[in-house]
Amino acid sequence: MNKELILLIETATTSCSVALSEGDTVLAVKEANERNIHATHITLFIEEVMESAKKQYKDLGAIAVSKGPGSYTGLRIGVSTAKGLCYALDIPLISVNTLDSMVYGLVKQEVDIDPEAYFIPMIDARRMEVYTGIYDIDLSVIEDVNAKIIDQTSFDQFDDRELILFGDGSEKFRSLFAGRDNIRIVNFVNSASHLAVPAHEKLIKNITENMAYFEPFYLKDFVGGKPAIIS
């Protein structure tokens, strides 16, 4: 076993992504950004990542999963897969808040960043609602994770600084904020590779989950659609 070797699983959004990291270095990634493929692709992606990195399951020191908020179905698939592997391999489970990992990923990929900017990850929650939070460049939380309905007055209190909106929930607001010079919407896709740094930090501090009680962070209760009544 290599205690630094972590299998990373991201299924909180439309992205189905698996990565393998050693320390905070990503060794291999397999992902696809498509709806409703998580259940059929997640185990295949795990096998491909392990083979690509020439590692065996017995080498793993931990498994990290994106815990939410996000898609109810996607989260259940990701967490159940991670827990099943942890039980089978007798290794610890690490969870990472999905919005936190998004900020890690965005700060790493963007090269031209105003150090005074605020980062606002957004996960689509249907209509004009998103799961979101606000962070600064040091990844400190300015506004805690919440479900927010966005309108044209949203973020007025931050008109004095650049706001970087990103994630699958941000795209629907391009026209809404077209006249706001301080708001920038950037292209971004969730990836399991974004979990590498925060997962490694938790592993070093021995911050792991109790697998018997751990559940995804849904933020809001799941509400299923009512079946149509045919007369």
Side-chain angles (χ1 to χ4, degrees):
M1 177 191 292
N2 179 351
K3 291 185 178 180
E4 294 268 292
L5 194 66
I6 308 175
L7 182 69
L8 312 164
I9 297 174
E10 167 63 79
T11 57
T13 65
T14 53
S15 178
C16 179
S17 178
V18 176
L20 189 68
S21 64
E22 186 169 9
D24 56 8
T25 301
V26 176
L27 304 179
V29 182
K30 178 66 179 180
E31 55 196 3
N33 188 29
E34 299 176 37
R35 290 188 181 277
N36 304 320
I37 67 167
H38 303 76
T40 55
H41 286 60
I42 190 69
T43 54
L44 297 175
F45 285 3
I46 291 171
E47 290 176 6
E48 289 186 32
V49 162
M50 296 298 290
E51 289 176 5
S52 175
K54 295 180 171 58
K55 302 293 183 182
Q56 298 181 17
Y57 288 99
K58 66 180 182 180
D59 298 326
L60 292 172
I63 294 177
V65 66
S66 180
K67 72 174 183 179
S71 158
Y72 181 90
T73 301
L75 288 172
R76 289 202 68 82
I77 292 169
V79 168
S80 62
T81 301
K83 290 173 74 171
L85 286 169
C86 286
Y87 275 121
L89 299 169
D90 193 24
I91 56 177
L93 174 67
I94 299 168
S95 72
V96 179
N97 182 289
T98 304
L99 296 175
D100 291 353
S101 68
M102 290 171 68
V103 179
Y104 274 97
L106 191 280
V107 170
K108 185 176 180 180
Q109 82 174 32
E110 287 291 300
V111 293
D112 183 22
I113 294 179
D114 179 349
E116 299 299 317
Y118 280 169
F119 302 90
I120 307 178
M122 292 182 165
I123 297 173
D124 190 18
R126 300 182 182 180
R127 300 186 178 86
M128 300 301 280
E129 187 174 25
V130 292
Y131 302 134
T132 188
I134 301 177
Y135 301 73
D136 66 17
I137 198 167
D138 296 319
L139 309 179
S140 298
V141 177
I142 306 301
E143 182 178 288
D144 286 333
V145 176
N146 64 98
K148 184 190 293 289
I149 296 174
I150 304 298
D151 60 33
Q152 57 192 146
T153 66
S154 296
F155 315 118
D156 278 355
Q157 70 272 37
F158 301 120
D159 273 348
D160 61 337
R161 70 181 67 231
E162 182 180 26
L163 304 178
I164 301 176
L165 279 55
F166 61 103
D168 66 0
S170 67
E171 294 298 323
K172 58 189 176 185
F173 302 123
R174 285 190 181 274
S175 59
L176 183 68
F177 292 131
R180 298 275 291 274
D181 293 338
N182 69 311
I183 294 181
R184 179 157 62 104
I185 298 175
V186 301
N187 295 323
F188 181 88
V189 177
N190 286 59
S191 172
S193 64
H194 303 153
L195 303 174
V197 172
H200 184 237
E201 290 177 353
K202 284 194 168 186
L203 184 65
I204 291 172
K205 297 174 183 177
N206 197 31
I207 301 174
T208 60
E209 299 295 340
N210 183 323
M211 284 187 286
Y213 298 101
F214 177 71
E215 292 289 338
F217 175 40
Y218 297 118
L219 189 57
K220 292 178 66 178
D221 292 334
F222 174 73
V223 179
K226 294 182 179 180
I229 298 175
I230 301 176
S231 57

